[in-house]
Amino acid sequence: MIKRCNDFGAGGVSVAIGELADGLIIDLDKVPKKYEGLDGTELAISESQERMAVVVAKEDVDKFIELAETENIEATIVAKVVEEPRIKMYWRGKTIVDLSREFLNTNGDVKNAQVKVEKPDEEKSYLKKEEIKDIKTKWEETISDLNCCSQKGLVERFDSTIGANTVFMPFGGKYQLTPTQGMVARIPTLKGYTNTGTIMTFGYNPYIGVWSPFHAAIYAVVESVSKYVAIGGEYKKAYLTLQEYFEKLKDDPVRWGKPFVALLGAYYAQKQLCIGAIGGKDSMSGSYNELDVPPTLVSFCIGDVDTEKVVSNEFKKSGNKIMLLKTKMGQEDVIDFDDLKENYEIIHKLIESGKVLSASTIKNGGIADVITKSSMGNKIGCKLSTKEDLFYPYYGSFVIEVDGDIEEEKLEQIGETIDEEKIIVNEEITFELDNLIKIWEEPLEKVFPTRVKEETKPVENILSDKKCTITRKMPITKPRVFIPIFPGTNCEYDSSKAFEDAGAIVSTKVFKNLKPENIQESIDIFAKEIENAQIIMIPGGFSAGDEPDGSGKFISAVFRNPKLKDLIYKHLHEKDGLMLGICNGFQALVKLGLVPYGEIKEMDETMPTLTFNTIARHMSRMVNTKVVSKLSPWFSSVELGEEFTIPISHGEGRFIISEELKKKLIENGQIATQYVDFEGNASSDILYNPNGSVSAIEGITSPDGRVLGKMGHSERSYREIMKNMPGRQDQKLFESGVNYYRY
Amino acid sequence: MEVKRIYVKKKKGFEVEAKGLLSDIKENLLIKQLENIIILNRYDVTGITEENFKKAKYTIFSEPQVDETYEEMYPFSEKDNIFGVEFLPGQFDQRANSLEECLQIVADGNRPIAKSAKIYILQGNLTKEEVEKIKKYIINPVDSRECNLEKPGNLEQKMEEPEDVAIIEGFTTMTDEDAEKFYKKYGFAMDLADLKFCQAYFRDTEKRDPTMTEMKMIDTYWSDHCRHTTFLTKLEILDIKWDLLKNIYEQYLKGRNMIYENRKAKDICLMDIATIAVKELKKAGYLTNLDESEEINACSFKAEILVDGKPEEYLIMFKNETHNHPTEIEPFGGAATCLGGAIRDPLSGRVYVYQAMRVTGCGDPRKTVAETLPNKLPQRKLTNEAARGYSSYGNQIGLATRTSSRAISSKICCKKIRNWCISRSCTKRKCC
């Protein structure tokens, strides 16, 4: 239906709509305004985010507007495409723009600039070898350098698992400490699944750019492609996109020389590797008074891959060989591209053959950086014996972990993985891994905290012998699930697929609120859906942006509608219905009273709630949870005491409950799951209990177990596709819910 | 209509935001006398009945488990320093907007008007300068301002009816000198030569004076942001004092000759150098999976994937987006906008966005506020706010993200603070 489409960015209407066709008549009075008082010029050119401009045929207009409405989206006709190649805009009955396309397309007067290039000073080369006297000090300096140290507190603020296609968590290994060298995700499919995914990596080192923008561009490309290869990508199938960011060039030929040489560097690297940068973006405004940004060219590399074959970079087990594959340096600090290509082939072949257990490419920080990071994830140490420079940035070189012998003469063994949690260098220097981790985490801990000030206290292990006492009234082979979608809900796709995979029929409906009459309409639609469904599932997301200052308020306002409240009561008490809420859904269930009370209640201060994580930020990672009660049919397919590694992603997951009520819930078996450490013990340590929940409570149920609310996103992990995360991830939650009606 | 006011304060043990701010200010502004901070959320609402207000008090405005509420009055102490912060008019206030949406449900469809503000109560024996310092740290004048503590009589924003768009009288007949004055007065992004180019167009082709909208629109169209003006500037190579580079430059010239063999050669410009490799590689038979269509605003390649064992053709699309300057002055909004653009652009190509990589750079974020350049935000605030902006947007949209930051030491480069946000979304669409 859509013939052309543009998003609104800088330039507003004039660009977003203005670029859709050569001839246009735009009526600015029709453009929806965020606030009053804008004049014609502002309406035409001011940046107006969160909008799209689309071209549809005249006969499709009504259908298009209708479809937009079902998604709670406002669509308005604002312009007409015409033959005459002119762009015209009307405002309050007057023509305020009437320009020929030909003139606009000239891009103005032709600009000229002069370029001058000087050779960078070899003496100051970033790639010059330096003599290391004290390996121990240098090692510690290296891993605490701002560009090597931990950024976990920053990374965890970003949801890394939504979409249920994440193959690499940002931090790999049991301890979630090894930063991966790139992103890997499977390609999303509406129906069915695929193993094919994409690898995405980047390369950039500002320090090289300051010395020589030409070299910086080359090594940005090399770094990005090498990371991609280390993960398992075939370099010939890779594509690049480049980001340039430079100082204001003014009329200075020397300043113009900087992007000029950088782009020639990128040109050279592309030609040598026979892969192309098919996209890019430039920004040339990096100056403030006398200060300029360092010449910057960032290379991004992407390609498709069979995700079953990708390899992450944390060491997998002790007793394995650690091998180095080094790429030669050519003239003038430019890498030997022929050798590089040969090495890319070798690494790819080895990964395809399944012989490589972990792989990294070397960058700033050298071998020391790679070894430290690979060791941390599973706390598998290593013994190094090599004469190689441990700190030199051997771009385009690889460190791989292999099990057994490999016949490849270019590979050189530099060490082996060991049981002890130590890194031992040439039998002289020993680092304790825990100590290295501390040094690595410390530099940015204050800026991006990962720890909280609250002390950890012992937490009771709950284990209930209560059994599920409810049984279905009528067998239903394909139970129906209703998944309501609110403004801000974002887990509806993943949740629907999870239920469909388990054999249910899923119906989703959007709650609309653009017009006053939409509210009642939506309530009526929801009422019908609730009456038809066996299971109601409230998915995760940020309903109404978790505002005003608290999550789930929008959803709970909807379900407090007298008609819906009544139907929910019947669903749970008369109609043999089940209910599930995950993350935002759990927040809504708690704020309604559905857990732990089993019905919608007026709020008072004795009720439990979910509030802001003690660390006061969003938290996205994997956690270990233990099933501590089998009261609920939602856990019928797993054993009491079983543990699972489940993704979480929330800002308000801290479960608060009074001591008295908690005792009652434990007695009833209503505490369903707890956050646990590696020994299976409930914990208040933020390493295991990510939000500071009382008694490490992750999920609770209603008194009869029909309603379950939990923070962990079981719908994102049940397919167990993550490659750098040990532990079982399929909690069989959706299966259990569906099976309740089947057997 | 009557305005209702309500203050909401977190109960003891739940005031994580205030606690975080307190230690942040103590550590970064080094204000030792500051003993405590209390943060209140203040809401002003009109268009709601007493009954509905009561219903919403403990379900929408607050939660009795974690909040305390104060209707109309809060017992402020004379000893404390008190100030409030609100968004500038026209800035999107998600808190007030969501409040209205929630209240609308309670009120059966009638949407009340709401405004939100945050009130900061500073306790401790502070000097005037210290209070100002704290205010400056908290309020970013690009998006917010200090608000009045008195309750307004109504919440309607009165807006004057704007005037008609001006026609720039005499533009076509301006002398060079007047043109230069005009150019300086309006701060155009185009250069003076462009302005004269416009003058000639309106004089010779349109035979009339332009409107202000037309001039601003042309300026936008020809800006670096929309049209890569810098990258399309024709280059004259004065001198290359470097054999290796001269050699590569010659390879590029040779490549050009081959590509532009039978057609008009493009000017030698940064854009040409950036794009010629792909043209050469294609001609030589590489990049066979490249997808090209008439309507391209992101790059894409074809991939045959097996869905449940059956081959299907997909397009993988990716793009990078940057937002340096906006993020530097308004980190939260700037970063969110950057990601918004990066998502919507591929969306306009009818694809589904499924992963993003965020790469940022900034100076050492451990530096104290005292080391910040005048008129700039501290690195720590910048980097944290930008992360908050991106993650707020990305987490809400539901976009799996991996982020990485490069710090640039001031030892080897300038002290300029900078921040760029590149997000690359990789997307798919079914081929039709």
Side-chain angles (χ1 to χ4, degrees), chain A residues 280-532:
Chain A
K281 179 104 187 169
D282 55 87
S283 173
M284 315 301 275
S285 56
S287 295
Y288 177 69
N289 295 341
E290 296 304 303
L291 300 170
D292 300 319
V293 296
T296 295
L297 189 144
V298 184
S299 166
F300 293 90
C301 175
I302 187 166
D304 58 307
V305 69
D306 178 353
T307 58
E308 293 286 339
K309 289 187 176 156
V310 297
V311 173
S312 57
N313 55 332
E314 72 284 353
F315 289 146
K316 301 292 187 302
K317 74 179 177 49
S318 59
N320 285 340
K321 287 181 182 161
I322 301 169
M323 315 290 281
L324 173 71
L325 178 61
K326 226 166 97 180
T327 298
K328 283 185 221 146
M329 186 60 92
Q331 295 289 309
E332 294 193 51
D333 284 338
V334 175
I335 198 164
D336 179 336
F337 275 99
D338 289 328
D339 195 43
L340 180 67
K341 284 190 277 190
E342 195 179 294
N343 289 346
Y344 282 168
E345 300 273 10
I346 292 171
I347 292 292
H348 185 64
K349 220 169 57 207
L350 287 173
I351 290 178
E352 285 274 301
S353 72
K355 285 177 185 153
V356 179
L357 283 102
S358 73
S360 302
T361 183
I362 300 170
K363 47 192 178 62
N364 60 313
I367 293 172
D369 171 68
V370 164
I371 293 291
T372 310
K373 286 174 179 166
S374 300
S375 297
M376 293 187 300
N378 288 313
K379 291 198 186 171
I380 290 172
C382 81
K383 207 189 237 170
L384 285 183
S385 50
T386 174
K387 293 204 166 59
E388 294 292 345
D389 185 327
L390 295 171
F391 306 98
Y392 186 78
Y394 289 113
Y395 278 102
S397 302
F398 297 87
V399 174
I400 59 173
E401 174 195 1
V402 295
D403 182 2
D405 292 320
I406 294 224
E407 277 176 47
E408 173 53 63
E409 49 185 52
K410 281 182 92 174
L411 287 176
E412 167 201 351
Q413 183 170 357
I414 56 166
E416 60 177 337
T417 53
I418 54 173
D419 259 335
E420 295 154 282
E421 296 181 2
K422 282 176 184 163
I423 295 175
I424 303 162
V425 185
N426 294 332
E427 293 183 351
E428 283 167 14
I429 303 157
T430 301
F431 299 100
E432 299 293 332
L433 271 185
D434 280 337
N435 193 30
L436 283 181
I437 291 168
K438 221 189 249 167
I439 294 169
W440 176 70
E441 286 179 335
E442 195 274 330
L444 289 174
E445 178 61 32
K446 278 201 170 150
V447 182
F448 307 124
T450 60
R451 305 256 173 190
V452 285
K453 287 194 185 112
E454 281 81 1
E455 277 174 45
T456 57
K457 287 170 278 186
V459 176
E460 71 216 284
N461 287 318
I462 301 166
L463 208 61
S464 169
D465 55 3
K466 287 277 184 302
K467 296 204 169 55
C468 183
T469 55
I470 55 168
T471 46
R472 58 115 184 90
K473 289 176 181 157
M474 289 269 291
I476 302 165
T477 21
K478 278 191 170 290
R480 304 180 67 91
V481 182
F482 170 47
I483 300 184
I485 301 170
F486 300 92
T489 295
N490 63 21
C491 298
E492 70 271 24
Y493 284 116
D494 304 343
S495 306
S496 300
K497 265 194 139 178
F499 273 113
E500 277 165 4
D501 286 352
I505 299 167
V506 177
S507 169
T508 59
K509 286 284 179 291
V510 176
F511 192 92
K512 293 187 283 178
N513 64 349
L514 282 181
K515 295 181 218 149
E517 62 267 28
N518 287 158
I519 305 283
Q520 196 53 47
E521 284 165 22
S522 299
I523 299 236
D524 291 342
I525 292 169
F526 275 31
K528 209 172 270 165
E529 291 287 340
I530 292 170
E531 282 184 300
N532 284 336

Side-chain angles (χ1 to χ4, degrees), chain A residues 57-90:
Chain A
K58 229 185 199 158
E59 54 275 19
D60 289 335
V61 167
D62 292 339
K63 181 80 189 150
F64 186 87
I65 292 175
E66 193 190 313
L67 285 170
E69 267 173 19
T70 61
E71 294 285 339
N72 204 28
I73 288 167
E74 187 180 0
T76 316
I77 305 173
V78 295
K80 206 162 70 182
V81 177
V82 293
E83 194 75 40
E84 191 193 6
R86 293 185 76 83
I87 175 163
K88 294 182 190 176
M89 291 193 201
Y90 295 100

Side-chain angles (χ1 to χ4, degrees), chain A residues 49 94 96 200 271 292, chain B residues 164 211 280 344 414 424:
Chain A
Q49 294 285 328
K94 289 191 178 133
I96 59 165
M200 197 194 315
K271 286 291 298 287
D292 300 319
Chain B
D164 275 350
T211 65
E280 284 184 57
R344 281 192 312 277
C414 62
R424 225 172 53 129

